[in-house]
Amino acid sequence: MSKMSSIQTAPGMDILCPLHVVLNATGHIVHVGPTLAKILAGRPAVGLRFLELFELKRPRIGQTMEALLGVSGTKLHLQLRGAPRTEMKGVLVPVPAESGLYQQGGALVNLSFGISIVDAVRDFALTSADFAATDLTVEMLYLVEAKSAAMDASRKLNQRLQGAKIAAEEQAFTDTLTGLKNRRAMDYVLTRLIDSETDFALLNLDLDYFKTVNDTRGHAAGDFVLQQVARIMVDETRGDDTIIRTGGDEFVLIFAGITNEKAISEIASRLIKNLEQPIIFEDEACKISGSIGAAFSCDYGKPTQAQMMEDADKALYQAKNAGRGRHVLHRPD
Amino acid sequence: MHGMINRAIERFVRDTYGREVWQGVTQDLGLEYTEFEPMLVYEATVTGRVLEALCRALDKERDDLLEDIGTYLVSHPNVEAIRRLLRFGGVNFHDFLQSLDDLPERARLAVPDLHLPAMELREHRTSFFSLSVNSGALKMEGFGRVVMGLLRAMADDYGALVLMEHKGSRERTEILEIHLADAAFADGRDFQLSARVNV
């Protein structure tokens, strides 16, 4: 053995480049830096060919030392053979011609983790001491963690704001006495249905004899009756139907996807029947009823909110004129 | 004042003394909210008012309260993220002290509108330091006390034995004297670069 083999790398190289590799003229490894040795965790490296330890993913070249020397100075995309198959970046330079330390025709390769650093630090339990003092890795890890924490705080703020926004919108679309939707919500729902060309049935419902309740039993009784009416309408409809209180004792019901005259007739009859059940307020019954006029979007070439409301209103007045407590469907002539 | 700082005070009170104490303080002050939002900025005076109300509620001197907040920031598990970010500053306490000058800049890298007091470390002779803490950018007195509590807790974290003294303040600059008596006095707490280490 010559003296050369005991000194495998230049003094200080392990401190400057703890991830460097020294190759001899045949492409075999004669030395690995301390951090690379830590990653290999006892796996023998010295004596292996460099390309036995690493797979060169890019550039695609032959497996010879000549081919490796041919891509000196360019960025090498490498992957450690064997688990955890860590991806690394590298750059190779031929050893200086006059170097007495390194074998003529050999090469130095310096490595770094690139973007796989976050996983590598975890997989290999690396510490600050494993990186050169000038290496920015630790600063980068700090930034990754600090930015994640800041992003987390931002995301929580966004969620809270989103929640507040939904609550505010919900309020703005809700009739506070009955919990039903209000006129703004109706405009929104109808616009959406018409724009998306979804067919629907529109029912205008006026309470009958409600004014009498209000006048004889007072506003508290009136409010109570309205709340019971709202409950009846919710019970008699599906979750995705829209029930709107448009004014004092006036309501609109929107049934998306229903174009069937018979189905609407049944719903209207059932609603009226239930509205006519006496509502008990402070031990005394309040008796009301309801009249309904309906229109169907499928009856219009191009339905508009104004036209359908007008037609449903006409039908409603027909129902009232015919004696109240009944429903009339508007159908085209 | 940045919401991060107000939020830190709030967390300290809630984690140390309970929600009731904190809610009492926000009610006393007539604040319209009971929680500070860390990513928003609040008017400068509210922080001072919160601290005053806290001193009254807890019957504590302001300096002691501020030092306790500093200790809390490093040692309480609910704010472990802060301790970890600080530990990135150095591999030992001596190294960490040297990183304090960069601390405001490091904080700004993560949260660009977060201003921390400017700090400058001087080493007078081996193991004897002075740290000047300038709170000018924050329009608030007493940050040196927070830094003192924080350094005490960080010394414990690194396992260093440190003696410290607050030497008073002039024009919003406070001077802390730091004597690093033994850098490896105890084992200290474990720190891994990776937040999620495979065991």
Side-chain angles (χ1 to χ4, degrees), chain A residues 87-109:
Chain A
E87 301 217 18
M88 300 186 86
K89 287 196 286 191
V91 62
L92 174 146
V93 292
V95 297
E98 299 308 318
S99 166
L101 273 170
Y102 300 116
Q103 192 184 92
Q104 284 301 301
L108 290 170
V109 187

Side-chain angles (χ1 to χ4, degrees), chain B residues 125-178:
Chain B
R125 54 196 163 93
T126 307
S127 303
F128 285 87
F129 306 87
S130 68
L131 181 73
S132 72
V133 182
N134 183 317
S135 313
L138 290 125
K139 304 184 183 68
M140 200 191 101
E141 309 283 340
F143 253 95
R145 297 287 176 178
V146 180
V147 173
M148 202 154 102
L150 188 140
L151 289 183
R152 279 195 212 288
M154 281 307 282
D156 284 350
D157 211 87
Y158 279 108
L161 180 62
V162 170
L163 305 170
M164 247 180 293
E165 199 179 340
H166 194 285
K167 304 298 279 184
S169 65
R170 233 174 77 191
E171 291 166 359
R172 289 204 167 125
T173 297
E174 295 161 82
I175 303 289
L176 310 184
E177 262 186 14
I178 304 162

Side-chain angles (χ1 to χ4, degrees), chain A residues 108-119:
Chain A
L108 290 170
V109 187
N110 197 21
L111 300 168
S112 92
F113 288 103
I115 209 71
S116 68
I117 182 64
V118 177
D119 291 335

Side-chain angles (χ1 to χ4, degrees), chain A residues 118 122 142 145 147 160, chain B residues 37 84 106 109-110 196:
Chain A
V118 177
R122 181 197 57 209
Y142 159 80
E145 216 167 303
K147 278 288 179 194
R160 273 195 289 275
Chain B
E37 176 51 59
R84 279 194 55 82
R106 276 176 171 265
L109 275 177
R196 328 149 269 150

Side-chain angles (χ1 to χ4, degrees), chain B residues 86-102 121-131 151 154-162 178-185:
Chain B
L86 288 169
R87 281 289 295 251
F88 273 103
V91 291
N92 53 41
F93 189 72
H94 184 268
D95 207 17
F96 170 74
L97 282 178
Q98 312 282 343
S99 77
L100 288 175
D101 289 21
D102 297 335
L121 184 83
R122 291 178 62 193
E123 188 161 7
H124 298 285
R125 54 196 163 93
T126 307
S127 303
F128 285 87
F129 306 87
S130 68
L131 181 73
L151 289 183
M154 281 307 282
D156 284 350
D157 211 87
Y158 279 108
L161 180 62
V162 170
I178 304 162
H179 174 208
L180 177 53
D182 186 350
F185 176 72

Side-chain angles (χ1 to χ4, degrees), chain A residues 110-172:
Chain A
N110 197 21
L111 300 168
S112 92
F113 288 103
I115 209 71
S116 68
I117 182 64
V118 177
D119 291 335
V121 162
R122 181 197 57 209
D123 292 344
F124 304 116
L126 299 177
T127 71
S128 298
D130 292 317
F131 298 99
T134 48
D135 193 319
L136 288 175
T137 297
V138 175
E139 276 80 359
M140 203 188 85
L141 292 173
Y142 159 80
L143 256 190
V144 168
E145 216 167 303
K147 278 288 179 194
S148 303
M151 188 70 91
D152 202 41
S154 283
R155 199 168 40 242
K156 281 181 185 149
L157 171 60
N158 280 339
Q159 278 167 357
R160 273 195 289 275
L161 292 179
Q162 178 75 0
K165 180 167 165 269
I166 290 169
E169 277 173 0
E170 195 79 8
Q171 246 166 27

